[in-house]
């Protein structure tokens, strides 16, 4: 798919730190009045807004205040925030810091430092295959770190991403590398692999017990042969 056919596409990869690329994507969101969202308090507070201005020098962005003041207060209390947008089948995710109340063109608004990183994924181009529940495919993410947490791998994609279901209190930002993740599949020896977070979904999942969870797409970094064999059993190429 060319950039002409898909103006939201990035020239290389799905994660970019390029200021020029981020400006282009954000200006598209701004010109098309696309909605952006952020979640706080484990999804209890949803901030919904739109971009108002993207500084062409890449110094800052301005967004509209949300209708709900509780959402504005939740955003302003953050040091950094992950925003989501979903135009035309794309999943766009960007990180911005230092939110503050400002006045823009005579109206109250919220200003933020320019986003450091942006993720862009064409969702329709990456079919996923569900991992059968009976396989009990679990993962202890960042097993050697201080923020280690348990997750469930619910499906795999042709792009090599495992989608993790985990606590809504955990924030995984794009580009984060989870070192030494311990992947456990029923009936198989544990597999240790590094995972790179590619994106996180803005919507929370409702689990059967009524609790909520998050999902992130994670790329296996240099997956060992054992993981490749599991992928073959599911007729998936981890790449």
């Amino acid at each position: 798919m060319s950039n002409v056919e898909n103006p939201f596409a990035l020239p290389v990869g799905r994660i970019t730190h390029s200021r020029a690329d981020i400006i282009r994507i954000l200006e598209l969101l701004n010109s098309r009045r696309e909605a952006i969202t952020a979640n706080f308090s484990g999804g209890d507070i949803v901030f919904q807004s739109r971009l108002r201005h993207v500084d062409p020098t890449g110094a800052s962005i301005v967004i509209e205040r949300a209708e709900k003041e509780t959402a504005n207060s939740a955003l302003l209390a953050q040091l950094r925030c992950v925003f989501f947008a979903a135009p035309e089948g794309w999943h766009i995710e960007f990180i911005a810091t230092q939110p503050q109340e400002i006045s823009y063109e005579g109206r109250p608004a919220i200003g933020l430092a320019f986003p450091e990183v942006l993720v862009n994924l064409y969702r329709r181009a990456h079919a996923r295959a569900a991992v059968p529940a009976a396989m009990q495919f679990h993962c202890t993410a960042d097993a050697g770190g201080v923020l280690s947490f348990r997750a469930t791998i619910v499906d795999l994609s042709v792009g090599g991403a495992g989608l993790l279901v985990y606590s809504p209190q955990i924030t995984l930002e794009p580009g984060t590398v989870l070192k030494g993740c311990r992947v456990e599949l029923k009936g198989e020896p544990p597999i240790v692999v590094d995972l790179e977070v590619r994106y996180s979904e803005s919507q929370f999942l409702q689990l059967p017990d009524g609790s909520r969870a998050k999902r992130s797409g994670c790329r296996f970094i240099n997956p060992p042969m054992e993981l490749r064999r599991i992928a073959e059993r599911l007729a998936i190429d981890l790449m």
Side-chain angles (χ1 to χ4, degrees):
M1 296 182 184
S2 72
N3 288 356
V4 174
E5 295 171 339
N6 298 280
F8 287 103
L10 293 172
V12 179
R14 303 173 201 158
I15 298 178
T16 183
H17 294 269
S18 164
R19 188 146 295 197
D21 285 338
I22 297 174
I23 289 172
R24 182 177 64 82
I25 297 295
L26 294 184
E27 285 183 338
L28 271 173
L29 293 176
N30 185 22
S31 65
R32 298 188 181 197
R33 302 291 294 157
E34 297 286 351
I36 61 173
T37 65
N39 296 294
F40 307 107
S41 300
D44 289 333
I45 299 176
V46 178
F47 178 91
Q48 295 181 317
S49 178
R50 288 179 172 82
L51 285 159
R52 286 275 302 280
H53 176 68
V54 179
D55 188 329
T57 68
S60 63
I61 61 173
V62 178
I63 62 176
E64 297 176 355
R65 292 177 66 86
E67 291 184 3
K68 296 181 179 180
E69 283 305 316
T70 52
N72 293 320
S73 297
L75 172 59
L76 291 167
Q78 308 299 312
L79 295 177
R80 60 196 288 117
C81 180
V82 181
F83 293 93
F84 305 90
E88 301 178 8
W90 292 89
H91 172 96
I92 296 174
E93 184 175 340
F94 60 91
I95 300 170
T97 63
Q98 304 171 31
Q100 57 183 316
E101 293 182 285
I102 65 169
S103 176
Y104 181 76
E105 295 183 340
R107 296 173 56 189
I110 296 175
L112 300 105
F114 194 80
E116 306 163 351
V117 61
L118 183 143
V119 171
N120 206 3
L121 176 71
Y122 191 61
R123 299 165 74 94
R124 298 170 189 160
H126 296 272
R128 298 169 183 169
V131 174
M135 290 185 71
Q136 298 182 26
F137 205 2
H138 299 294
C139 175
T140 301
D142 201 21
V146 296
L147 298 178
S148 178
F149 61 92
R150 287 282 289 176
T152 300
I153 300 178
V154 294
D155 52 52
L156 299 175
S157 78
V158 294
L163 291 180
L164 306 180
V165 179
Y166 50 90
S167 166
Q169 303 302 323
I170 295 170
T171 298
L172 293 181
E173 296 182 351
T176 300
V177 175
L178 303 171
K179 294 282 190 178
C181 297
R182 183 182 174 92
V183 175
E184 301 166 6
L185 177 62
K186 184 179 180 181
E188 301 283 349
I191 302 168
V192 177
V193 65
D194 294 343
L195 294 172
E196 179 190 18
V197 179
R198 306 310 298 269
Y199 67 92
S200 296
E201 295 188 356
S202 58
Q203 298 298 316
F204 283 74
L205 298 175
Q206 189 79 24
L207 301 182
D209 63 2
S211 62
R212 283 181 296 186
K214 287 182 178 178
R215 288 219 301 196
S216 290
C218 298
R219 180 178 69 89
F220 291 112
I221 300 176
N222 297 322
M225 188 56 65
E226 294 87 347
L227 270 177
R228 293 183 182 278
R229 281 197 284 265
I230 292 170
E232 289 172 1
R233 285 163 57 183
L234 294 173
I236 299 169
D237 179 13
L238 288 179
M239 296 178 63

mmCIF file of all heavy atoms in Angstrom, residues 108-138:
data_model
loop_
_atom_site.group_PDB
_atom_site.id
_atom_site.type_symbol
_atom_site.label_atom_id
_atom_site.label_comp_id
_atom_site.label_asym_id
_atom_site.label_seq_id
_atom_site.Cartn_x
_atom_site.Cartn_y
_atom_site.Cartn_z
ATOM 1 N N PRO A 108 -10.306 28.252 26.046
ATOM 2 C CA PRO A 108 -9.540 27.345 26.913
ATOM 3 C C PRO A 108 -9.138 26.091 26.144
ATOM 4 O O PRO A 108 -9.913 25.551 25.352
ATOM 5 C CB PRO A 108 -10.531 27.011 28.035
ATOM 6 C CG PRO A 108 -11.526 28.114 28.016
ATOM 7 C CD PRO A 108 -11.659 28.523 26.581
ATOM 8 N N ALA A 109 -7.920 25.646 26.382
ATOM 9 C CA ALA A 109 -7.397 24.456 25.708
ATOM 10 C C ALA A 109 -6.342 23.830 26.605
ATOM 11 O O ALA A 109 -6.071 24.302 27.715
ATOM 12 C CB ALA A 109 -6.812 24.827 24.345
ATOM 13 N N ILE A 110 -5.740 22.760 26.114
ATOM 14 C CA ILE A 110 -4.665 22.083 26.850
ATOM 15 C C ILE A 110 -3.465 21.979 25.915
ATOM 16 O O ILE A 110 -3.582 21.489 24.785
ATOM 17 C CB ILE A 110 -5.103 20.685 27.321
ATOM 18 C CG1 ILE A 110 -6.255 20.812 28.331
ATOM 19 C CG2 ILE A 110 -3.927 19.936 27.954
ATOM 20 C CD1 ILE A 110 -6.842 19.485 28.774
ATOM 21 N N GLY A 111 -2.332 22.473 26.376
ATOM 22 C CA GLY A 111 -1.102 22.383 25.608
ATOM 23 C C GLY A 111 -0.221 21.264 26.129
ATOM 24 O O GLY A 111 -0.220 20.968 27.328
ATOM 25 N N LEU A 112 0.513 20.612 25.248
ATOM 26 C CA LEU A 112 1.433 19.541 25.617
ATOM 27 C C LEU A 112 2.727 19.673 24.830
ATOM 28 O O LEU A 112 2.747 20.239 23.732
ATOM 29 C CB LEU A 112 0.824 18.165 25.338
ATOM 30 C CG LEU A 112 -0.466 17.807 26.069
ATOM 31 C CD1 LEU A 112 -1.649 17.897 25.126
ATOM 32 C CD2 LEU A 112 -0.382 16.409 26.665
ATOM 33 N N ALA A 113 3.797 19.150 25.412
ATOM 34 C CA ALA A 113 5.049 19.071 24.666
ATOM 35 C C ALA A 113 4.846 18.153 23.464
ATOM 36 O O ALA A 113 3.984 17.267 23.471
ATOM 37 C CB ALA A 113 6.159 18.537 25.564
ATOM 38 N N PHE A 114 5.629 18.378 22.424
ATOM 39 C CA PHE A 114 5.443 17.612 21.198
ATOM 40 C C PHE A 114 5.671 16.120 21.458
ATOM 41 O O PHE A 114 6.579 15.737 22.193
ATOM 42 C CB PHE A 114 6.398 18.104 20.119
ATOM 43 C CG PHE A 114 6.039 17.614 18.752
ATOM 44 C CD1 PHE A 114 5.036 18.234 18.035
ATOM 45 C CD2 PHE A 114 6.695 16.527 18.191
ATOM 46 C CE1 PHE A 114 4.685 17.778 16.760
ATOM 47 C CE2 PHE A 114 6.356 16.069 16.932
ATOM 48 C CZ PHE A 114 5.345 16.695 16.212
ATOM 49 N N PRO A 115 4.838 15.236 20.862
ATOM 50 C CA PRO A 115 4.984 13.792 21.077
ATOM 51 C C PRO A 115 6.377 13.274 20.743
ATOM 52 O O PRO A 115 6.981 13.664 19.747
ATOM 53 C CB PRO A 115 3.926 13.200 20.137
ATOM 54 C CG PRO A 115 2.882 14.268 20.055
ATOM 55 C CD PRO A 115 3.647 15.563 20.068
ATOM 56 N N GLU A 116 6.845 12.356 21.591
ATOM 57 C CA GLU A 116 8.180 11.786 21.435
ATOM 58 C C GLU A 116 8.191 10.610 20.468
ATOM 59 O O GLU A 116 9.215 10.315 19.848
ATOM 60 C CB GLU A 116 8.688 11.314 22.805
ATOM 61 C CG GLU A 116 8.642 12.380 23.891
ATOM 62 C CD GLU A 116 8.740 11.778 25.280
ATOM 63 O OE1 GLU A 116 8.664 10.536 25.397
ATOM 64 O OE2 GLU A 116 8.887 12.547 26.242
ATOM 65 N N VAL A 117 7.075 9.891 20.403
ATOM 66 C CA VAL A 117 7.022 8.674 19.597
ATOM 67 C C VAL A 117 5.593 8.485 19.107
ATOM 68 O O VAL A 117 4.632 8.902 19.768
ATOM 69 C CB VAL A 117 7.485 7.440 20.418
ATOM 70 C CG1 VAL A 117 6.588 7.219 21.629
ATOM 71 C CG2 VAL A 117 7.549 6.184 19.555
ATOM 72 N N LEU A 118 5.462 7.872 17.922
ATOM 73 C CA LEU A 118 4.142 7.597 17.365
ATOM 74 C C LEU A 118 4.141 6.197 16.763
ATOM 75 O O LEU A 118 5.106 5.775 16.118
ATOM 76 C CB LEU A 118 3.784 8.634 16.301
ATOM 77 C CG LEU A 118 2.397 8.530 15.667
ATOM 78 C CD1 LEU A 118 1.809 9.921 15.406
ATOM 79 C CD2 LEU A 118 2.456 7.745 14.338
ATOM 80 N N VAL A 119 3.048 5.477 17.015
ATOM 81 C CA VAL A 119 2.849 4.138 16.459
ATOM 82 C C VAL A 119 1.705 4.205 15.471
ATOM 83 O O VAL A 119 0.688 4.858 15.729
ATOM 84 C CB VAL A 119 2.502 3.125 17.570
ATOM 85 C CG1 VAL A 119 2.068 1.793 16.973
ATOM 86 C CG2 VAL A 119 3.683 2.918 18.484
ATOM 87 N N ASN A 120 1.845 3.518 14.351
ATOM 88 C CA ASN A 120 0.798 3.500 13.339
ATOM 89 C C ASN A 120 0.680 2.088 12.792
ATOM 90 O O ASN A 120 1.640 1.537 12.259
ATOM 91 C CB ASN A 120 1.124 4.472 12.216
ATOM 92 C CG ASN A 120 -0.122 4.963 11.515
ATOM 93 O OD1 ASN A 120 -1.231 4.618 11.894
ATOM 94 N ND2 ASN A 120 0.056 5.759 10.487
ATOM 95 N N LEU A 121 -0.493 1.498 12.918
ATOM 96 C CA LEU A 121 -0.714 0.127 12.474
ATOM 97 C C LEU A 121 -1.985 0.065 11.653
ATOM 98 O O LEU A 121 -3.033 0.538 12.099
ATOM 99 C CB LEU A 121 -0.848 -0.804 13.688
ATOM 100 C CG LEU A 121 -1.182 -2.262 13.391
ATOM 101 C CD1 LEU A 121 0.013 -2.949 12.753
ATOM 102 C CD2 LEU A 121 -1.590 -2.993 14.654
ATOM 103 N N TYR A 122 -1.887 -0.499 10.456
ATOM 104 C CA TYR A 122 -3.078 -0.696 9.643
ATOM 105 C C TYR A 122 -3.708 -2.013 10.069
ATOM 106 O O TYR A 122 -3.242 -3.089 9.720
ATOM 107 C CB TYR A 122 -2.727 -0.719 8.157
ATOM 108 C CG TYR A 122 -3.949 -0.645 7.264
ATOM 109 C CD1 TYR A 122 -4.801 0.453 7.322
ATOM 110 C CD2 TYR A 122 -4.244 -1.670 6.371
ATOM 111 C CE1 TYR A 122 -5.920 0.546 6.511
ATOM 112 C CE2 TYR A 122 -5.359 -1.588 5.547
ATOM 113 C CZ TYR A 122 -6.192 -0.478 5.631
ATOM 114 O OH TYR A 122 -7.302 -0.396 4.828
ATOM 115 N N ARG A 123 -4.767 -1.929 10.866
ATOM 116 C CA ARG A 123 -5.326 -3.093 11.532
ATOM 117 C C ARG A 123 -5.809 -4.142 10.540
ATOM 118 O O ARG A 123 -5.654 -5.338 10.766
ATOM 119 C CB ARG A 123 -6.475 -2.665 12.442
ATOM 120 C CG ARG A 123 -6.036 -1.700 13.529
ATOM 121 C CD ARG A 123 -7.223 -1.021 14.153
ATOM 122 N NE ARG A 123 -7.951 -1.915 15.023
ATOM 123 C CZ ARG A 123 -7.750 -2.010 16.331
ATOM 124 N NH1 ARG A 123 -6.834 -1.265 16.912
ATOM 125 N NH2 ARG A 123 -8.457 -2.824 17.069
ATOM 126 N N ARG A 124 -6.387 -3.712 9.418
ATOM 127 C CA ARG A 124 -6.942 -4.674 8.477
ATOM 128 C C ARG A 124 -5.861 -5.486 7.769
ATOM 129 O O ARG A 124 -6.140 -6.487 7.140
ATOM 130 C CB ARG A 124 -7.787 -3.944 7.429
ATOM 131 C CG ARG A 124 -8.971 -3.205 8.034
ATOM 132 C CD ARG A 124 -9.625 -2.325 7.008
ATOM 133 N NE ARG A 124 -10.627 -1.451 7.608
ATOM 134 C CZ ARG A 124 -11.080 -0.355 7.057
ATOM 135 N NH1 ARG A 124 -10.612 0.036 5.897
ATOM 136 N NH2 ARG A 124 -11.994 0.385 7.661
ATOM 137 N N ALA A 125 -4.614 -5.003 7.840
ATOM 138 C CA ALA A 125 -3.536 -5.683 7.117
ATOM 139 C C ALA A 125 -2.867 -6.757 7.956
ATOM 140 O O ALA A 125 -1.967 -7.425 7.484
ATOM 141 C CB ALA A 125 -2.481 -4.659 6.684
ATOM 142 N N HIS A 126 -3.294 -6.950 9.195
ATOM 143 C CA HIS A 126 -2.624 -7.893 10.080
ATOM 144 C C HIS A 126 -3.646 -8.833 10.698
ATOM 145 O O HIS A 126 -4.125 -8.617 11.810
ATOM 146 C CB HIS A 126 -1.853 -7.142 11.173
ATOM 147 C CG HIS A 126 -0.759 -6.313 10.613
ATOM 148 N ND1 HIS A 126 0.504 -6.785 10.386
ATOM 149 C CD2 HIS A 126 -0.749 -5.024 10.186
ATOM 150 C CE1 HIS A 126 1.251 -5.838 9.860
ATOM 151 N NE2 HIS A 126 0.515 -4.762 9.725
ATOM 152 N N ALA A 127 -3.981 -9.883 9.962
ATOM 153 C CA ALA A 127 -4.941 -10.853 10.474
ATOM 154 C C ALA A 127 -4.365 -11.546 11.706
ATOM 155 O O ALA A 127 -3.168 -11.787 11.806
ATOM 156 C CB ALA A 127 -5.247 -11.875 9.393
ATOM 157 N N ARG A 128 -5.238 -11.881 12.647
ATOM 158 C CA ARG A 128 -4.802 -12.527 13.868
ATOM 159 C C ARG A 128 -5.425 -13.901 13.985
ATOM 160 O O ARG A 128 -6.531 -14.124 13.510
ATOM 161 C CB ARG A 128 -5.200 -11.684 15.089
ATOM 162 C CG ARG A 128 -4.566 -10.315 15.119
ATOM 163 C CD ARG A 128 -5.204 -9.464 16.184
ATOM 164 N NE ARG A 128 -4.652 -8.117 16.191
ATOM 165 C CZ ARG A 128 -5.178 -7.112 16.869
ATOM 166 N NH1 ARG A 128 -6.256 -7.291 17.590
ATOM 167 N NH2 ARG A 128 -4.619 -5.912 16.826
ATOM 168 N N ALA A 129 -4.723 -14.796 14.625
ATOM 169 C CA ALA A 129 -5.254 -16.124 14.894
ATOM 170 C C ALA A 129 -5.338 -16.299 16.402
ATOM 171 O O ALA A 129 -4.364 -16.061 17.118
ATOM 172 C CB ALA A 129 -4.361 -17.200 14.285
ATOM 173 N N ALA A 130 -6.505 -16.690 16.882
ATOM 174 C CA ALA A 130 -6.703 -16.842 18.320
ATOM 175 C C ALA A 130 -5.952 -18.053 18.834
ATOM 176 O O ALA A 130 -5.869 -19.091 18.168
ATOM 177 C CB ALA A 130 -8.192 -16.976 18.625
ATOM 178 N N VAL A 131 -5.378 -17.915 20.013
ATOM 179 C CA VAL A 131 -4.750 -19.042 20.688
ATOM 180 C C VAL A 131 -5.855 -19.800 21.424
ATOM 181 O O VAL A 131 -6.563 -19.213 22.245
ATOM 182 C CB VAL A 131 -3.683 -18.557 21.693
ATOM 183 C CG1 VAL A 131 -3.140 -19.738 22.488
ATOM 184 C CG2 VAL A 131 -2.556 -17.841 20.965
ATOM 185 N N PRO A 132 -6.039 -21.087 21.147
ATOM 186 C CA PRO A 132 -7.094 -21.837 21.835
ATOM 187 C C PRO A 132 -6.941 -21.755 23.347
ATOM 188 O O PRO A 132 -5.833 -21.857 23.884
ATOM 189 C CB PRO A 132 -6.879 -23.272 21.334
ATOM 190 C CG PRO A 132 -6.192 -23.118 20.019
ATOM 191 C CD PRO A 132 -5.311 -21.912 20.169
ATOM 192 N N ALA A 133 -8.051 -21.551 24.036
ATOM 193 C CA ALA A 133 -8.008 -21.408 25.501
ATOM 194 C C ALA A 133 -7.372 -22.617 26.164
ATOM 195 O O ALA A 133 -6.698 -22.497 27.194
ATOM 196 C CB ALA A 133 -9.424 -21.183 26.030
ATOM 197 N N ALA A 134 -7.563 -23.781 25.566
ATOM 198 C CA ALA A 134 -7.028 -25.000 26.162
ATOM 199 C C ALA A 134 -5.503 -25.018 26.183
ATOM 200 O O ALA A 134 -4.888 -25.771 26.952
ATOM 201 C CB ALA A 134 -7.551 -26.219 25.399
ATOM 202 N N MET A 135 -4.865 -24.181 25.333
ATOM 203 C CA MET A 135 -3.408 -24.156 25.294
ATOM 204 C C MET A 135 -2.820 -23.479 26.528
ATOM 205 O O MET A 135 -1.662 -23.689 26.860
ATOM 206 C CB MET A 135 -2.923 -23.442 24.024
ATOM 207 C CG MET A 135 -3.162 -24.207 22.746
ATOM 208 S SD MET A 135 -2.451 -23.390 21.286
ATOM 209 C CE MET A 135 -0.701 -23.625 21.567
ATOM 210 N N GLN A 136 -3.603 -22.621 27.207
ATOM 211 C CA GLN A 136 -3.136 -21.919 28.405
ATOM 212 C C GLN A 136 -1.764 -21.278 28.156
ATOM 213 O O GLN A 136 -0.763 -21.627 28.775
ATOM 214 C CB GLN A 136 -3.085 -22.875 29.600
ATOM 215 C CG GLN A 136 -4.441 -23.449 29.976
ATOM 216 C CD GLN A 136 -4.390 -24.346 31.186
ATOM 217 O OE1 GLN A 136 -3.501 -24.210 32.036
ATOM 218 N NE2 GLN A 136 -5.328 -25.271 31.287
ATOM 219 N N PHE A 137 -1.740 -20.325 27.237
ATOM 220 C CA PHE A 137 -0.521 -19.650 26.781
ATOM 221 C C PHE A 137 -0.320 -18.409 27.646
ATOM 222 O O PHE A 137 -0.978 -17.391 27.445
ATOM 223 C CB PHE A 137 -0.695 -19.271 25.317
ATOM 224 C CG PHE A 137 0.584 -19.134 24.548
ATOM 225 C CD1 PHE A 137 1.823 -19.368 25.122
ATOM 226 C CD2 PHE A 137 0.554 -18.755 23.213
ATOM 227 C CE1 PHE A 137 2.991 -19.233 24.395
ATOM 228 C CE2 PHE A 137 1.710 -18.615 22.473
ATOM 229 C CZ PHE A 137 2.927 -18.860 23.067
ATOM 230 N N HIS A 138 0.565 -18.485 28.635
ATOM 231 C CA HIS A 138 0.766 -17.404 29.588
ATOM 232 C C HIS A 138 2.175 -16.827 29.471
ATOM 233 O O HIS A 138 3.065 -17.423 28.874
ATOM 234 C CB HIS A 138 0.530 -17.888 31.021
ATOM 235 C CG HIS A 138 -0.855 -18.389 31.255
ATOM 236 N ND1 HIS A 138 -1.966 -17.585 31.202
ATOM 237 C CD2 HIS A 138 -1.314 -19.640 31.541
ATOM 238 C CE1 HIS A 138 -3.048 -18.303 31.450
ATOM 239 N NE2 HIS A 138 -2.684 -19.552 31.649
#
